[in-house]
Amino acid sequence: MGQYTASQRKNVRILLVGDARVGKTSLILSLVSEEYPEEVPPRAEEITIPANVTPEQVPTSIVDFSALEQSEDALAAEINKAHVVCIVYAVDDDDTLDRITSHWLPLIRAKCNPSLDGEGDAEAEAEGDVQREPIRKPIVLVGNKIDLIEYSTMDSVLAIMEDYPEIESCVECSAKTLHNISEMFYYAQKAVLHPTSPLYMMEEQELTSACKKSLVRIFKICDIDGDNLLNDYELNLFQRRCFNTPLQPQILDEVKAVIQKNVPDGIYNDAVTLKGFLFLHCLFIQRGRNETTWAVLRRFGYNDQLEMCHEYLRPPLKIPPGSSTELSHRGQQFLIAVFERYDRDGDGALSPEEHKMLFSTCPSAPWSYSTDIRKSCPINETTGWVTLHGWLCRWTLMTLIDVVKTMEYLAYLGFNVHENDSQLAAIHVTRERRIDLAKRQSSRSVYKCHVIGPKGSGKTGMCRGFLVEDMHKLIGKEFKTNVVHCINSVQVYGQEKHLILRDIDVRHALDPLQPQEVNCDVACLVYDSSNPRSFEYVARIYIKYYAESKIPVMIVGTKCDMDERRQDYLMQPSEFCDKYKLLPPHLFSLKTNKKELYTKLATMAAFPRFQAAWILFYKHSHLRQFGLMTEDPKLWWKAGLGVAAATMLGFIVLKTISAAGAHTR
């Protein structure tokens, strides 16, 4: 991926204003013709300088203003269209210098903010507008006719700059001798492309809080080993990522020497501290090298307002209907590296403090540690902390249900910089579900199972049981937190798959299910086998939503450790399953601590509408778990003869087709 620039403008528009006869038009004509014009018109026509002849490689339009030819309304329009305004004064005329503060600066502020000019106040109050920050148009002060004097006006101008933060720079020049003409327009360009005010406070002589916050995040991302220092390797990597060039050892030593001289604790163990890093950027700005700091900020996704750019956080991702999103191998490897960096004690789990530090480069954590990730993913059951496996599970869950949020947080954590690519490289878009159904085999590695059942059926306990090694710990536990999803991995034919159980909240038995509550890779309909009125709801749900669909369905009877009761329905669960050609009901209880149910569900999702696969891909010992094995040895003769017959039929068909093709030729 090339160097990212979050807000690179496509053009720059410069407006020149000032009192009459200060030389505005002469400056423009001298720049264009590279010689002083003998005859100067009242106003120069708008000109556009091509990108290839400007220092910043950006097309630049230069607009002249004349009070003799244009109205105040025209001036207001031009001020608002311009990206930067150059206020020109004559260095040999103090009145033109004084009018910068008495007339031009207040005028520009007022035209950019009509409410400051007394216009629209009543309307704003009537509409109840929220107080907004005033718009600050970048300003460059230009002292012309420097060839006529032997002194400088810079001291007076610098005093003005302290009172008006929108003033980006000042320059003295001469339209007659062409002195500093090119520099003047370069400073104007720079004021637009690399503005000072978002980065630096002139009065306090230090970085703005927004700039500090952004640079602190960048420092943390570049601190690969997490020791709060940037060593030579990390600094070189930072240099390559931002400027596509290595940092020469001699220059690196010189940079460290400057930091050490000005900030005693800016260097520690021959590495740069956070204080040293911030000082370095402060020094760049003080020396007029704003473009260096802006290059770093834009490489890390910041726009001109020092906010993360929308295009950086959310690159366009095309997801065909019926496809899903998963973490790619690169995405998983990056997240493993982030986990290991912040697992400071190396215990294979993230404590609440480590988890908080990990997301310190983000606006906030994407989930709650106590009420979300610890309740929806596997954790260390001794400490209650999130393991690496649980960490990857939670990211897998977020990638499936909210891939945009995944891409945002990957950007916050520095994926784009470390991987030198956009977050799209961390996402895998699966093939469409209709293709999986046609092939009767899913290519996905993450499956979503909707768990549906009446209140009190035990479906929440069944979902939580998926996360723990010993389900006995859940017996009698009241689940207070409203966690909708539970995710863990299962082995399907020797391959690791992730299964997401979504607990569908059923408030009332007659409430209809929404399409997003019905559609999934496999449905698990749960009833309480000890409650005679529980199965009816499950049966009605199946008939209404799943009988005609292609979604595999498993019916589960919970609390099988209790006395099984006859259900008050037209058919008993086993009869119902037999009628609709479903697998026999799976009986489940937390007390038995058996996990076969979850493997069954993942297998059905992996091979939708292909019941033979649910048998043939399992070992002999697993067949009874599906309720598809009997003690009758003739079953195996029948299965073997069926496979042989299918093979022979295929051979005959293939031979017939070949013969027909040969006859045609």
Side-chain angles (χ1 to χ4, degrees), residues 311 314-318 407 424:
E311 292 78 9
R314 301 183 175 191
L317 176 65
K318 185 177 181 181
M407 291 195 294
L424 298 179

Side-chain angles (χ1 to χ4, degrees), residues 351-504:
S351 67
E353 185 60 30
E354 289 170 339
H355 184 269
K356 181 180 178 180
M357 285 298 298
L358 189 153
F359 286 112
S360 63
T361 61
C362 310
S364 62
W367 48 67
S368 165
Y369 186 90
S370 59
T371 61
D372 186 320
I373 191 169
R374 291 181 60 203
K375 306 296 183 181
S376 60
C377 306
I379 58 173
N380 183 312
E381 295 184 18
T382 302
T383 62
W385 295 351
V386 180
T387 62
L388 175 60
H389 176 57
W391 166 256
L392 290 176
C393 281
R394 189 59 184 84
W395 277 94
T396 299
L397 170 60
M398 185 163 72
T399 304
L400 183 74
I401 64 176
D402 192 352
V403 67
V404 172
K405 191 173 183 180
T406 292
M407 291 195 294
E408 285 183 0
Y409 275 86
L410 285 171
Y412 290 136
L413 294 173
F415 178 90
N416 309 52
V417 178
H418 288 301
E419 297 294 320
N420 205 30
D421 208 341
S422 80
Q423 309 94 297
L424 298 179
I427 307 299
H428 168 66
V429 179
T430 66
R431 72 186 182 191
E432 297 176 46
R433 180 174 172 78
R434 61 181 179 81
I435 300 176
D436 289 344
L437 292 172
K439 293 180 176 291
R440 296 188 176 186
Q441 181 176 354
S442 174
S443 61
R444 307 179 184 191
S445 60
V446 183
Y447 305 121
K448 186 163 59 174
C449 170
H450 287 185
V451 182
I452 306 170
K455 289 284 186 182
S457 61
K459 58 188 175 70
T460 303
M462 190 198 86
C463 292
R464 298 292 180 88
F466 188 33
L467 306 179
V468 299
E469 290 295 327
D470 185 5
M471 288 190 276
H472 291 100
K473 297 178 181 179
L474 301 178
I475 296 175
K477 188 173 182 180
E478 183 180 353
F479 303 109
K480 296 181 180 179
T481 55
N482 187 26
V483 175
V484 176
H485 298 94
C486 293
I487 179 172
N488 204 343
S489 62
V490 293
Q491 291 290 320
V492 177
Y493 320 136
Q495 294 184 339
E496 185 180 67
K497 305 289 185 181
H498 282 92
L499 180 66
I500 298 171
L501 302 180
R502 179 184 174 187
D503 188 347
I504 303 298

Side-chain angles (χ1 to χ4, degrees), residues 530-550:
S530 65
N531 181 350
R533 297 183 178 181
S534 184
F535 180 71
E536 181 178 2
Y537 176 81
V538 166
R540 292 183 183 278
I541 288 292
Y542 177 81
I543 294 171
K544 184 174 181 179
Y545 297 104
Y546 293 103
E548 301 298 327
S549 80
K550 297 180 179 179

Side-chain angles (χ1 to χ4, degrees), residues 1-4 222 232-249 295-296 299-300 416-418 420:
M1 182 182 77
Q3 183 170 325
Y4 182 84
C222 295
D232 289 359
Y233 172 78
E234 292 165 340
L235 285 169
N236 258 299
L237 196 62
F238 166 78
Q239 176 78 9
R240 286 180 179 275
R241 290 288 182 263
C242 294
F243 305 103
N244 296 320
T245 181
L247 198 59
Q248 298 300 324
V296 172
R299 180 64 181 88
F300 282 78
N416 309 52
V417 178
H418 288 301
N420 205 30

Side-chain angles (χ1 to χ4, degrees), residues 32 34 46 103 169 186 190 217 222 227 281-283 307 317 358 387 414 431 453 483 535 539 560 583 592 636 639 658:
V32 175
E34 296 185 351
E46 178 179 332
H103 175 71
S169 58
Y186 167 69
K190 190 176 176 181
R217 170 181 169 265
C222 295
D227 62 353
H281 284 280
C282 194
L283 189 62
E307 298 170 346
L317 176 65
L358 189 153
T387 62
R431 72 186 182 191
V483 175
F535 180 71
C560 67
L583 296 178
T592 61
W636 297 105
S658 299

